[in-house]
């Protein structure tokens, strides 16, 4: 499978490269575009400041330009938190998208969004201050209305970015469970 994997607001950190290597070891081709021009951050606040300084439109443009050379192959869009939101936006706009793998995040869905049974898998902490239950319920219904085939996996007690071993949120058990399920998802596409 061809996977476009987007980083979180922390930037293109070692955890993203390690995730890409894990996917490559399972036989997938993976690209990890750097939307922050090499900047990485120690706090979510610093990452958000960078994201805001670059601007939503410019970040989306960068993501589209990164994916464009490969989209004809039928990409699985994937991402971590902010990167998941980016992946979701691109997947819902790419008629050749093969799947959507969301780790720790979702995004608004346009009323006009329409996909043909796009396989979607979301992995998120429970609870997660960035993805509250009422939001996730609404998101799930909207994705279904858009035509997506959605699976949600919740990890009780894990922190928001629980797959990143360099962050306080890290939860090894939840991270390993996520990767097992996510690799199975990719293999099924």
């Amino acid at each position: 499978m061809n996977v476009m994997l987007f980083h979180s607001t922390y930037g293109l950190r070692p955890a993203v490269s390690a995730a890409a290597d894990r996917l490559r070891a399972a036989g997938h081709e993976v690209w990890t575009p750097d939307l922050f021009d090499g900047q990485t951050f120690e706090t979510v606040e610093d990452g958000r400041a960078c994201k805001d300084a670059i601007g939503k439109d410019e970040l989306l443009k960068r993501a589209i330009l990164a994916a464009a050379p490969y989209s004809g192959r039928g990409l699985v869009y994937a991402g971590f938190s902010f990167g998941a939101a980016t992946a979701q936006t691109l997947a819902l706009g790419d008629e050749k998208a093969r799947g959507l793998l969301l780790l720790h995040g979702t995004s608004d869905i346009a009323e006009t969004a329409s996909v043909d049974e796009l396989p979607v898998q979301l992995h998120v902490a429970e609870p997660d201050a960035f993805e509250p239950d009422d939001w996730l319920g609404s998101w799930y219904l909207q994705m279904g209305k858009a035509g997506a085939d959605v699976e949600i996996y919740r990890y009780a007690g894990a922190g928001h970015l629980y797959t990143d071993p360099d962050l306080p949120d890290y939860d090894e058990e939840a991270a390993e469970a996520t990767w097992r399920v996510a690799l199975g998802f990719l293999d099924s596409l």
Side-chain angles (χ1 to χ4, degrees), residues 123-152:
H123 297 267
V124 65
E126 182 177 33
D128 188 327
F130 296 102
E131 300 290 326
D133 290 344
D134 57 342
W135 166 260
L136 284 177
S138 175
W139 174 86
Y140 178 81
L141 293 173
Q142 289 177 327
M143 286 296 277
K145 181 180 170 189
D149 181 15
V150 181
E151 298 176 335
I152 299 177

Side-chain angles (χ1 to χ4, degrees), residues 5 22-23 76-85 88 100-107 119-128 130-132 135-136 139-140 149-156 158-164 171 173-189:
L5 180 63
R22 184 185 291 244
L23 297 175
V76 173
Y77 292 92
F80 298 94
S81 193
F82 152 73
Q88 178 184 303
L100 176 59
L101 176 60
L102 303 172
L103 303 163
H104 322 294
T106 61
S107 183
V120 178
Q121 193 174 86
L122 168 64
H123 297 267
V124 65
E126 182 177 33
D128 188 327
F130 296 102
E131 300 290 326
W135 166 260
L136 284 177
W139 174 86
Y140 178 81
D149 181 15
V150 181
E151 298 176 335
I152 299 177
Y153 294 86
R154 305 290 306 267
Y155 300 88
H160 175 65
L161 272 168
Y162 64 83
T163 59
D164 187 330
D171 183 313
E173 185 177 333
E176 289 306 313
T178 294
W179 288 118
R180 276 192 305 277
V181 174
L183 288 169
F185 173 70
L186 292 175
D187 288 344
S188 74
L189 301 177

Side-chain angles (χ1 to χ4, degrees), residues 12 15 20-21 24 27 39 43 57 59 65 67-68 73-74 76 87 92 117 119 129 131 136 138-139 174-175 181:
L12 190 58
D21 288 344
R24 289 181 188 112
Q39 296 181 84
T43 69
D57 291 342
L59 288 167
L65 290 173
R73 299 179 185 191
V76 173
L92 292 179
E117 298 181 8
E131 300 290 326
L136 284 177
S138 175
W139 174 86
V181 174

